[in-house]
Amino acid sequence: MFPFEVFRSETHAANLLEQVRWREGLRCPRCRSESVIKYGSYREYQRYRCKDCGRTFNDKTGTIFACAKIGLDRLLFAFYSLLRFNTSIRQLDAELDASYRSLRRRVEQFARTLDAPSLNLVGPVEIDEVYVIAGLKGRERGQESRSRGLSKRGRGSYADDKPPVFTLVDRGNDQRYVVPAKSADESTVRLLLADHDEEPLTVYTDGFRAYDPLEEDDAFAREYVVHGDGEYADGDVHVNTCESHGSLVRPWLLPHRGVSKDRLTPYLRAFQLRRELYRKP
């Protein structure tokens, strides 16, 4: 169960940070020395001094919470609300009465620290793509307004503010991945499927032409359904799990009212973490 008491005050949040950060032992964040002694306090945080390099530090030094103008309890609440309720930064700004610019910087910094998905595929694998709105939010001040990416039907690209987001489902280990890309072409598909144990790797796709070259490669065994012909499943051959998982991507981005394509990856990493937590017992 989540320790909600950390939201009561910064002292409770500081105690949690101390327990989590030094769970494997206290070390200097600069020289990694274990010769560290307590050296007073800094507000609610324990202060330390390294005997080797002589530098002082506290529990927040070297983390995304360092030098933050927003209290640790409110930052943890913002991170929890983002993952649990997909709360937008603008709404968090209103709820927490914090600087929008500072809050956005910390939330996006938190999202960037999340691990990138490591695609070590076991197989069989489903792969599909979805196209999302992601333009140049916050970088076009004073310029002529642009048309929205999804005003045009069909497939898009990174340059057209409609980048593809690939969804992969590994049936061998029940892992699901969401990976943004600049284009939906053969090179991108091969890069996503490069690391796999099984040879050949069975790949289930739809009839999109970017997957056609996989049929001529001995490293892959491609089977597909053609949606244009009304074919959506043929026994085990389908991409329904991918489409189900990919259908959650647009609702995830919707509350943030247009994510910049430069920052699309961190938001999707937060989405990936949220879905992994939801699927755990």
Side-chain angles (χ1 to χ4, degrees):
M1 180 175 291
F2 190 85
F4 289 99
E5 63 272 7
V6 302
F7 299 148
R8 296 178 184 175
S9 66
E10 191 163 2
T11 302
H12 287 82
N15 291 335
L16 177 63
L17 177 62
E18 181 180 2
Q19 295 172 25
V20 172
R21 184 169 191 192
W22 311 121
R23 62 185 180 276
E24 297 180 356
L26 184 61
R27 291 177 178 270
C28 175
R30 296 182 177 89
C31 67
R32 309 304 299 169
S33 170
E34 296 182 358
S35 300
V36 176
I37 60 173
K38 293 185 177 181
Y39 196 70
S41 62
Y42 171 72
R43 297 178 182 175
E44 291 84 2
Y45 304 93
Q46 178 64 54
R47 195 169 177 226
Y48 309 94
R49 182 177 181 274
C50 177
K51 291 184 177 180
D52 289 344
C53 66
R55 303 289 292 273
T56 61
F57 61 95
N58 58 63
D59 296 326
K60 295 198 299 181
T61 302
T63 70
I64 60 175
F65 308 111
C67 304
K69 298 180 180 179
I70 305 174
L72 180 61
D73 53 337
R74 292 192 290 174
L75 283 178
L76 292 179
F77 177 78
F79 300 161
Y80 174 79
S81 298
L82 173 68
L83 294 176
R84 179 64 179 84
F85 305 109
N86 193 22
T87 308
S88 68
I89 300 177
R90 186 65 69 181
Q91 184 176 350
L92 288 172
D93 173 34
E95 296 290 342
L96 298 177
D97 191 24
S99 167
Y100 171 77
R101 181 173 296 181
S102 298
L103 186 60
R104 185 194 67 188
R105 182 166 57 249
R106 296 295 170 176
V107 170
E108 291 182 348
Q109 188 177 7
F110 160 73
R112 286 195 299 270
T113 62
L114 299 178
D115 294 334
S118 177
L119 277 67
N120 188 10
L121 305 175
V122 178
V125 176
E126 296 179 33
I127 182 171
D128 196 23
E129 73 285 340
V130 63
Y131 298 85
V132 300
I133 299 175
L136 300 175
K137 182 179 179 182
R139 297 196 300 161
E140 292 186 326
R141 299 182 185 277
Q143 298 184 17
E144 185 179 354
S145 60
R146 62 181 177 86
S147 60
R148 301 303 271 171
L150 290 183
S151 61
K152 300 178 182 178
R153 293 180 59 84
R155 305 182 187 275
S157 65
Y158 186 88
D160 296 332
D161 296 344
K162 195 176 175 185
V165 176
F166 282 88
T167 56
L168 294 92
V169 176
D170 192 338
R171 297 185 185 178
N173 54 21
D174 200 29
Q175 292 295 318
R176 303 177 185 185
Y177 308 96
V178 178
V179 184
K182 290 193 174 182
S183 61
D185 54 15
E186 177 189 352
S187 60
T188 303
V189 173
R190 289 187 178 276
L191 183 62
L192 292 173
L193 300 175
D195 295 328
H196 56 271
D197 298 331
E198 184 179 326
E199 190 86 13
L201 177 68
T202 302
V203 182
Y204 299 130
T205 74
D206 56 16
F208 182 36
R209 62 181 180 272
Y211 305 119
D212 291 345
L214 298 179
E215 297 186 33
E216 303 173 359
D217 194 332
D218 295 337
F220 303 101
R222 183 203 180 198
E223 299 185 44
Y224 62 96
V225 291
V226 182
H227 294 168
D229 295 340
E231 186 180 18
Y232 292 92
D234 183 8
D236 291 334
V237 183
H238 62 80
V239 290
N240 295 339
T241 313
C242 269
E243 292 181 344
S244 176
H245 196 64
S247 67
L248 302 173
V249 173
R250 287 192 189 125
W252 168 264
L253 298 175
L254 187 61
H256 304 285
R257 304 185 67 177
V259 176
S260 171
K261 55 188 176 183
D262 295 338
R263 298 184 175 92
L264 182 59
T265 298
Y267 280 91
L268 291 180
R269 287 184 184 177
F271 169 80
Q272 177 88 13
L273 176 59
R274 186 195 191 198
R275 300 315 307 174
E276 289 178 1
L277 294 176
Y278 270 21
R279 295 176 65 241
K280 288 182 180 295

